[in-house]
Each structure stands twice: as C-alpha cells, then as structure tokens.
Amino acid sequence: MAGSPAFTPTKQTFSDVAPSTMYYREIEWAAHEGITTGWPDGTFRPVTPVARDAMAAFLYRQSGSPAVTLPASPSFSDVPAGNMYYREIEWMQHEGIANGWLDGTFRPLNDTNRDAMAAFLHRAVESGVLTLA
C-alpha cells in the first residue's frame, strides 16, 4: 500500500530480526513508520501469525492514527472498552472495514486469515482511509 518505498535501515530494532532475516528491510520500515511496535520484550516474532487485534492496530497506524469517536457501548461483545486495541477495532468498525462475525464478536485473538486480510484491505481502500501509492 505504501508502494515499496526506498528504505535503508540504520539499526536493528528487534532482537529477533537480524539484518540477515528475510524481510528485515520491510520489518524495519514498518517499525520506522510506527506501524509496528513489536512485543514488550523487544522482539518482533516474525513467524508468529498476526492476531486480528494487532492487524487492526497495523491498519489504523498505516492510515495515520486518525481521531476516533468511540461509541457509548462497544460494537463487539468480545472487545470491551478496556481492550488494548479497542480504539483501533472500533475505528475499523466505524469505517466499514470490519463487520465482525454474525454472533456480534470480533474475535480479536484469532489469527488474521488471508481472505479476511484481503477483505480488510479492499474495504480500507474503498472507504478512502488508505490509498494505494
């Protein structure tokens, strides 16, 4: 979405992503842009699947972390207002990027499947919150 911008890392951000790691440049770019912050222990965990809540954070940050008017009550029964990624998930719902499941859940800790990721990206571009480079 960013158009594969030219980027040369100046330092190793994550203890488990060395310069010899596949996608090192891309991971360092995402960290440099504030899209990813990694885990509290200083790792990135490059082969760990991305949970739906973290995916929401990535898309929210890529869109510039826009202001969000939070609803009086949560949109999803399994994402309470105290959830670490509540703002990001509510933003996705408000923008029509994520609708959740038929049972009213978002399932924040489930892995983000490739089909859902394609849908999220498509909806984000269609809604105008993300643009193609």
Side-chain angles (χ1 to χ4, degrees), residues 91-111:
W91 168 79
M92 285 187 66
Q93 192 280 332
H94 178 265
E95 294 297 336
I97 299 168
N99 305 315
W101 299 89
L102 293 177
D103 65 0
T105 63
F106 182 77
R107 303 179 190 173
L109 299 180
N110 284 12
D111 293 345

Side-chain angles (χ1 to χ4, degrees), residues 103-128:
D103 65 0
T105 63
F106 182 77
R107 303 179 190 173
L109 299 180
N110 284 12
D111 293 345
T112 304
N113 292 337
R114 294 167 63 92
D115 57 354
M117 191 70 230
F120 296 145
L121 290 172
H122 179 263
R123 292 177 193 149
V125 170
E126 288 294 308
S127 71

Side-chain angles (χ1 to χ4, degrees), residues 14 80 86:
F14 305 108
Y86 180 70

